[in-house]
Amino acid sequence: MPYKLGDIAEHLNAELRGDPECLISELSTLAEATPSCLSFLSNRRYIKQLESTQAAAVILDNKNANKCPAHALVVDNPYLGYALAAQLLYPLTDIKPGIHSTSSIAETARIDANSQINAHAVVQEGAVIGTGVFIASGCVIGSNVVIGDNTRLLENTVVCHHVVIGKNVLIHPGVVIGADGFGLAEQNDGSWIKIPQIGSVIVEDDVEIGANTTIDRGALGDTYIGRGVKIDNQVQIGHNVTIGEFTAIAGCTGIAGSSRLGKRCRIGGGCGISGHLEITDDVILTGMSAVNNSIIQSGIYSSPLSATDNKTWRKNVARFHRLDESFKKIRDEISEIKNG
Amino acid sequence: MPYKLGDIAEHLNAELRGDPECLISELSTLAEATPSCLSFLSNRRYIKQLESTQAAAVILDNKNANKCPAHALVVDNPYLGYALAAQLLYPLTDIKPGIHSTSSIAETARIDANSQINAHAVVQEGAVIGTGVFIASGCVIGSNVVIGDNTRLLENTVVCHHVVIGKNVLIHPGVVIGADGFGLAEQNDGSWIKIPQIGSVIVEDDVEIGANTTIDRGALGDTYIGRGVKIDNQVQIGHNVTIGEFTAIAGCTGIAGSSRLGKRCRIGGGCGISGHLEITDDVILTGMSAVNNSIIQSGIYSSPLSATDNKTWRKNVARFHRLDESFKKIRDEISEIKNG
Amino acid sequence: MPYKLGDIAEHLNAELRGDPECLISELSTLAEATPSCLSFLSNRRYIKQLESTQAAAVILDNKNANKCPAHALVVDNPYLGYALAAQLLYPLTDIKPGIHSTSSIAETARIDANSQINAHAVVQEGAVIGTGVFIASGCVIGSNVVIGDNTRLLENTVVCHHVVIGKNVLIHPGVVIGADGFGLAEQNDGSWIKIPQIGSVIVEDDVEIGANTTIDRGALGDTYIGRGVKIDNQVQIGHNVTIGEFTAIAGCTGIAGSSRLGKRCRIGGGCGISGHLEITDDVILTGMSAVNNSIIQSGIYSSPLSATDNKTWRKNVARFHRLDESFKKIRDEISEIKNG
């Protein structure tokens, strides 16, 4: 269903330089756009593509608007403009209220009539599910779980007992929320006694959680995911971790138990954050970083070496493993020279 | 249901300094305890909280017992005491024997009458399931799998054909045991021929396996998880790996094919262990370590750099990439100075 | 069902030095073989086991054939020979065409009559499933998905709407293909606007995907997995990534959005590849490597340090964190000495 450019401009709060009646049916990159497409320029790397784009209209900033060969939607932040336009053109699929006949719903579960429960989903005793909720096939909602309005749980997601999930949360397939944390006490013979994990998980409103991510329940007290936090795929969040609002965590990162991340942090992919640390607000961690100490000052932090050719790398690693020894030796030699 | 402090003391084999009739209904941290709570002091970091705790009783060691403002349960290892108390106060939920009407059970599967199979679980041909077993919703138990007594498989876990799982094992949601290992032979044109993985997986008694962890079946012969091994979430264990008893492996660690870990090892989170290595008993690997060589001596091993501010890190990484060259140059200059 | 050695030789295109009528019922390692076994020697490490093996026959190369105490199947590449023999002796289980009564199939889905849909599987509207396809229990096939002939999807796999999967693809349990990529635009207050992910995923023929791996759908345009690509367990592939044919990716590796990997690359386990990079053909990346820059030349690349004893490691890491400063200081001192 095509949209009028004027309506899109209004949705983006953009200045329209062009025809408000122009019809847009798709969103596309500058390079691949056809004359029914809206496109965007948010990265100067693509500025050459602007000149030759076939797009009917382009979202861009004022600085580049004069180079636009099509209708222009001028905004301060074209990437945000693109996001808003995409949300308008590609809205979430509508909820089809109803409970599929093959799902398994406990008698004591309370499910709002405007929610949708798909095939083979399971909702256990005492669970409370708000309005406009979507629960996909194969999900298992544990006993006494609470799920807020307009939240969507995609296929085969597991939410364990007593977990509380807010409104407008989006959970991708294969996620596990509220499994036991890794709590063990060692006995004298080296064997382990399991510590029952009696806390839960609280997921605030507007959170997104990527496919196959796991968030453990607290040992004592709860694991806490703040409002508007965005978590990518295959992230592991240990028991009693706290994540401050609007923090974003890229894929394959692991956060060990009881660590506390501040607000608006950006954690790159493949990072490892040790347990019992404090990471303050507005910390950026580049990908594959290992964090072993608390970070008390906002800023950008990094740790990994970057890949180089194997031959050079092997020589440098060999040097690294003798670094302390080598510097001591050099120091001694320099002292010797100085002292005659 | 509250417990008498005297009964708890007996369960912990603790010396009770206080009232055995005192009723305990909850376990809590020192800071959050109310007068019906039992708490514990196992980390000197929290010693200040001991003085002001509202707990009715505290598990602690003899050294700190005289500072305890509440009834004291004196033990050698308070963290172990906490674990044992938590097990007493928060026992596993009871099994409700029976097979849910929506599950799908092969005719040739043998399931003990005292086990519980939940909604939408699948048990395939020839599987043998012991007594007191719990199989949660969405689990798939492959053909000829054997599951020992009192083992619990949580939601959406997959156990592939012929895998053998011992007694008292706890498997968290989303786990996959017995998928094919990554076995490939290269052809001249660069394409790959799959090697059928004809071994299986043996999981011994008292093992715990975290959410979304994967354990591959052997190529020839079996992958082996020893007695009392504890594995956290999102761990990947390759084909024909052997893990010795009581070894614990934290989240996001990967162990490549055919490596053998000893007994009582502690593997930190996010580690990577290459294939075909031997790790001896009692090895501790700190988080994010990369292991490329066998470890033949017990002890603590590490490898990653820890995150520092990005600006300093960039300078140091640049230096690292010239490490061999730089040391050679310095050596030359020092030689030159010495030789006149 | 035993095979005649002559038939096996023919399947492998091997030169048989021995009795073509000899019956083989199993494949085994040299050390564990019994007189009904076929074995192989592909690694010189096991050459001593050749002399004492009980195997009826051994696959090996011409160089070692004269040392073989059993019937010999002489080939150029014994590891490939082993793979081919294993495929002959352990063929895939046959498809049992039919749709299980507990599965949930949309009316508009088209499923070939020679395919097998197991218990509790879900196939949604408009999905098209070829012939000889196997869909295991608990799988969810989204709307308008296309699945090519002879492809097998194992338990609890999720394929999201509009994803296209080729022929002879093998997908292990717990995989998620086509979940939303991690696309977010920041607002002024630090909160995030989700970018709808309107692309899809294309998986070409002969691909294998390991357990609990995730492959995200494209933001605009598609994520692309080339022909014959082999992916291990718990790999994360971001939106709009392209993987060239025959590339193999070991477990726990993450590839961030829009990166393009060439053909015949071998990516080790636990690697992290940043977004928007180009990796050319025939690149080998050793395990746990971090890639932050494009790689334009074929070859072997590496980055991690390898684990050493913790005490030495701590000293060397401390030196690393002062590397730039230390070298500057040494340079100054040497200059000072030289200049008098």
Side-chain angles (χ1 to χ4, degrees):
Chain A
M1 201 174 309
Y3 285 79
K4 286 186 188 174
L5 199 52
D7 295 339
I8 297 173
E10 197 175 323
H11 182 73
L12 269 59
N13 201 17
E15 178 199 342
L16 171 57
R17 301 188 191 164
D19 177 9
E21 297 300 313
C22 169
L23 290 177
I24 296 294
S25 57
E26 270 188 278
L27 196 60
S28 178
T29 59
L30 288 167
E32 290 171 354
T34 64
S36 65
C37 287
L38 173 64
S39 191
F40 64 100
L41 174 68
S42 65
N43 186 327
R44 68 168 62 181
R45 202 192 314 198
Y46 299 113
I47 207 158
K48 284 218 160 162
Q49 296 182 3
L50 178 63
E51 294 162 28
S52 58
T53 188
Q54 300 297 308
V58 179
I59 304 165
L60 35 51
D61 60 18
N62 188 51
K63 209 172 52 196
N64 292 302
N66 61 336
K67 300 175 205 120
C68 182
H71 304 305
L73 293 171
V74 182
V75 295
D76 288 343
N77 180 346
Y79 196 65
L80 179 58
Y82 153 51
L84 293 168
Q87 289 195 343
L88 181 69
L89 270 67
Y90 304 91
L92 284 175
T93 52
D94 285 338
I95 295 290
K96 295 172 191 152
I99 295 176
H100 196 277
S101 62
T102 64
S103 67
S104 174
I105 314 291
E107 276 186 32
T108 56
R110 281 162 37 207
I111 300 174
D112 185 277
N114 288 312
S115 288
Q116 176 179 354
I117 314 286
N118 272 5
H120 303 307
V122 175
V123 182
Q124 296 180 333
E125 314 81 53
V128 177
I129 294 179
T131 190
V133 169
F134 176 81
I135 296 184
S137 290
C139 289
V140 185
I141 310 304
S143 61
N144 302 298
V145 164
V146 176
I147 297 182
D149 299 344
N150 302 314
T151 281
R152 293 181 184 223
L153 280 71
L154 301 187
E155 289 76 9
N156 289 353
T157 282
V158 176
V159 183
C160 300
H161 66 93
H162 290 93
V163 167
V164 177
I165 296 179
K167 297 175 184 173
N168 301 308
V169 171
L170 176 56
I171 300 179
H172 291 287
V175 167
V176 178
I177 303 180
D180 281 352
F182 200 52
L184 302 163
E186 198 184 8
Q187 298 193 105
N188 286 338
D189 66 350
S191 69
W192 301 96
I193 292 286
K194 179 183 175 62
I195 299 173
Q197 303 290 297
I198 62 182
S200 185
V201 180
I202 295 172
V203 176
E204 295 284 6
D205 297 347
D206 305 320
V207 167
E208 184 168 352
I209 301 174
N212 282 357
T213 279
T214 51
I215 303 176
D216 282 345
R217 67 191 315 116
L220 291 168
D222 300 325
T223 303
Y224 181 83
I225 311 296
R227 184 168 63 102
V229 165
K230 305 295 176 181
I231 301 174
D232 196 0
N233 297 358
Q234 297 198 42
V235 171
Q236 150 66 4
I237 297 186
H239 51 186
N240 298 97
V241 164
T242 292
I243 313 278
E245 67 178 13
F246 306 145
T247 282
I249 304 172
C252 305
T253 281
I255 303 176
S258 299
S259 279
R260 302 173 66 86
L261 274 67
K263 298 175 184 173
R264 298 173 304 276
C265 293
R266 297 178 186 202
I267 310 299
C271 291
I273 299 178
S274 296
H276 297 275
L277 302 184
E278 299 271 341
I279 311 289
T280 192
D281 297 343
D282 301 298
V283 167
I284 294 174
L285 211 56
T286 64
M288 301 280 281
S289 291
V291 181
N292 298 320
N293 296 102
S294 290
I295 296 179
I296 58 173
Q297 197 167 345
S298 300
I300 308 177
Y301 294 81
S302 307
S303 79
L305 302 171
S306 43
T308 44
D309 74 279
N310 179 269
K311 204 173 153 187
T312 308
W313 168 80
R314 271 189 289 163
K315 285 184 195 165
N316 290 330
V317 168
R319 291 287 183 182
F320 174 85
H321 287 312
R322 299 194 305 266
L323 215 47
D324 188 56
E325 179 195 322
S326 298
F327 275 117
K328 276 187 183 150
K329 208 171 155 193
I330 288 172
R331 177 123 327 281
D332 286 350
E333 294 194 67
I334 290 178
S335 292
E336 207 182 302
I337 291 169
K338 283 185 166 173
N339 300 332
Chain B
M1 200 174 309
Y3 286 79
K4 286 186 186 174
L5 199 52
D7 295 339
I8 297 173
E10 198 175 323
H11 182 73
L12 270 59
N13 201 17
E15 178 200 343
L16 171 57
R17 300 187 191 164
D19 177 9
E21 298 300 314
C22 168
L23 290 177
I24 297 295
S25 57
E26 271 188 279
L27 196 60
S28 178
T29 60
L30 287 167
E32 290 171 354
T34 63
S36 65
C37 287
L38 173 64
S39 192
F40 64 100
L41 175 68
S42 65
N43 186 327
R44 67 170 60 184
R45 203 191 313 199
Y46 299 113
I47 207 158
K48 283 221 161 160
Q49 295 183 3
L50 178 64
E51 293 163 28
S52 58
T53 188
Q54 299 298 308
V58 179
I59 303 166
L60 35 52
D61 60 18
N62 188 50
K63 211 172 53 199
N64 292 301
N66 62 334
K67 298 175 206 122
C68 182
H71 305 304
L73 292 171
V74 182
V75 294
D76 287 343
N77 180 344
Y79 195 66
L80 180 58
Y82 152 52
L84 292 168
Q87 289 196 343
L88 181 69
L89 270 68
Y90 304 90
L92 285 176
T93 52
D94 285 337
I95 296 290
K96 294 171 190 152
I99 295 176
H100 196 275
S101 63
T102 64
S103 66
S104 175
I105 314 292
E107 275 186 32
T108 57
R110 280 161 39 206
I111 301 174
D112 185 277
N114 288 311
S115 288
Q116 175 179 355
I117 314 286
N118 272 4
H120 303 306
V122 175
V123 182
Q124 295 179 334
E125 314 81 54
V128 177
I129 294 180
T131 190
V133 170
F134 175 81
I135 296 184
S137 290
C139 289
V140 184
I141 311 303
S143 61
N144 301 298
V145 164
V146 176
I147 297 183
D149 300 343
N150 302 313
T151 281
R152 293 180 183 223
L153 279 72
L154 301 187
E155 289 75 10
N156 288 354
T157 281
V158 176
V159 183
C160 300
H161 67 94
H162 290 92
V163 167
V164 177
I165 296 179
K167 298 176 184 175
N168 301 308
V169 171
L170 176 57
I171 300 179
H172 290 287
V175 167
V176 178
I177 302 182
D180 282 352
F182 199 53
L184 302 163
E186 199 185 8
Q187 299 193 104
N188 286 337
D189 66 351
S191 69
W192 300 97
I193 292 285
K194 177 182 175 66
I195 299 173
Q197 303 290 297
I198 64 183
S200 184
V201 181
I202 296 172
V203 177
E204 296 284 7
D205 299 345
D206 305 321
V207 168
E208 183 168 352
I209 301 174
N212 282 356
T213 278
T214 51
I215 303 176
D216 281 347
R217 67 191 315 115
L220 291 169
D222 300 323
T223 304
Y224 181 82
I225 311 297
R227 184 170 63 102
V229 165
K230 306 295 177 182
I231 301 173
D232 197 1
N233 296 359
Q234 296 198 44
V235 170
Q236 150 65 2
I237 296 185
H239 51 184
N240 298 97
V241 164
T242 292
I243 313 278
E245 66 177 16
F246 306 145
T247 283
I249 303 172
C252 305
T253 281
I255 303 175
S258 299
S259 279
R260 302 173 65 87
L261 275 68
K263 299 175 183 174
R264 296 173 306 275
C265 293
R266 298 179 186 200
I267 309 299
C271 290
I273 299 178
S274 296
H276 298 275
L277 302 184
E278 299 271 341
I279 311 290
T280 192
D281 298 341
D282 301 299
V283 167
I284 294 174
L285 211 58
T286 64
M288 302 281 280
S289 291
V291 181
N292 299 320
N293 297 101
S294 290
I295 297 180
I296 58 173
Q297 197 167 345
S298 300
I300 308 177
Y301 294 81
S302 306
S303 80
L305 302 171
S306 43
T308 44
D309 74 280
N310 180 268
K311 205 174 153 187
T312 307
W313 169 79
R314 273 190 288 164
K315 287 183 193 166
N316 289 330
V317 168
R319 292 286 184 181
F320 174 84
H321 287 312
R322 301 194 304 265
L323 215 47
D324 187 55
E325 178 196 324
S326 298
F327 274 117
K328 277 186 183 151
K329 207 172 156 193
I330 288 173
R331 178 125 322 283
D332 286 350
E333 295 195 66
I334 288 178
S335 291
E336 207 182 303
I337 292 170
K338 281 184 167 177
N339 299 332
Chain C
M1 203 173 306
Y3 286 79
K4 285 187 188 173
L5 200 51
D7 295 339
I8 297 174
E10 198 175 322
H11 183 74
L12 270 59
N13 201 16
E15 178 200 342
L16 172 57
R17 301 188 191 163
D19 178 11
E21 297 301 314
C22 169
L23 291 177
I24 296 295
S25 56
E26 270 187 278
L27 197 60
S28 177
T29 60
L30 288 167
E32 289 172 354
T34 65
S36 64
C37 287
L38 173 65
S39 192
F40 64 100
L41 175 68
S42 66
N43 186 325
R44 67 170 61 182
R45 202 191 313 198
Y46 299 114
I47 206 158
K48 283 220 162 161
Q49 296 181 4
L50 178 63
E51 295 163 28
S52 58
T53 188
Q54 299 297 307
V58 178
I59 303 165
L60 35 52
D61 60 18
N62 188 51
K63 209 173 54 199
N64 292 300
N66 61 336
K67 298 175 205 122
C68 182
H71 304 306
L73 293 171
V74 182
V75 294
D76 287 344
N77 180 344
Y79 196 66
L80 179 58
Y82 152 51
L84 293 168
Q87 290 195 344
L88 182 69
L89 271 67
Y90 304 91
L92 285 176
T93 53
D94 285 337
I95 295 291
K96 295 172 190 152
I99 296 177
H100 196 277
S101 62
T102 63
S103 66
S104 174
I105 315 290
E107 276 185 32
T108 56
R110 280 161 38 205
I111 300 174
D112 186 276
N114 288 311
S115 287
Q116 176 180 353
I117 314 286
N118 271 4
H120 302 307
V122 175
V123 182
Q124 295 179 334
E125 314 81 53
V128 178
I129 294 180
T131 190
V133 170
F134 176 81
I135 296 185
S137 291
C139 288
V140 185
I141 311 303
S143 60
N144 302 299
V145 164
V146 176
I147 296 183
D149 299 345
N150 303 313
T151 281
R152 296 181 182 222
L153 280 72
L154 301 187
E155 289 76 10
N156 288 353
T157 282
V158 176
V159 182
C160 300
H161 66 95
H162 291 91
V163 167
V164 177
I165 296 180
K167 297 175 185 175
N168 301 308
V169 172
L170 176 57
I171 301 180
H172 291 287
V175 167
V176 178
I177 302 181
D180 282 352
F182 199 53
L184 302 163
E186 199 184 7
Q187 298 193 105
N188 286 337
D189 65 352
S191 70
W192 301 96
I193 292 285
K194 178 182 176 65
I195 298 173
Q197 303 291 297
I198 63 182
S200 185
V201 181
I202 295 172
V203 177
E204 295 285 6
D205 298 346
D206 306 320
V207 167
E208 183 169 352
I209 302 174
N212 282 356
T213 278
T214 52
I215 302 176
D216 282 346
R217 67 189 316 114
L220 291 169
D222 300 324
T223 303
Y224 181 83
I225 311 296
R227 184 169 63 104
V229 165
K230 306 295 177 180
I231 302 174
D232 197 1
N233 297 357
Q234 296 198 43
V235 171
Q236 150 66 4
I237 297 185
H239 50 185
N240 297 96
V241 165
T242 292
I243 314 278
E245 67 178 14
F246 307 145
T247 283
I249 304 173
C252 305
T253 281
I255 303 175
S258 299
S259 279
R260 302 173 66 86
L261 274 67
K263 297 174 184 175
R264 298 172 305 276
C265 293
R266 298 179 186 199
I267 310 299
C271 291
I273 299 177
S274 296
H276 299 273
L277 302 185
E278 298 272 341
I279 311 290
T280 191
D281 298 341
D282 301 299
V283 166
I284 294 174
L285 211 58
T286 64
M288 302 282 280
S289 290
V291 181
N292 299 320
N293 297 102
S294 290
I295 296 179
I296 58 172
Q297 196 167 346
S298 300
I300 308 177
Y301 294 80
S302 307
S303 79
L305 301 171
S306 44
T308 43
D309 74 279
N310 180 269
K311 205 173 154 187
T312 307
W313 169 80
R314 272 189 288 162
K315 285 182 194 166
N316 289 330
V317 168
R319 291 286 184 181
F320 175 85
H321 288 312
R322 300 194 304 266
L323 214 47
D324 187 57
E325 178 195 323
S326 298
F327 274 116
K328 277 186 183 150
K329 207 172 157 192
I330 288 172
R331 178 126 321 285
D332 287 350
E333 294 195 66
I334 288 177
S335 292
E336 206 182 302
I337 291 169
K338 282 182 167 178
N339 300 333

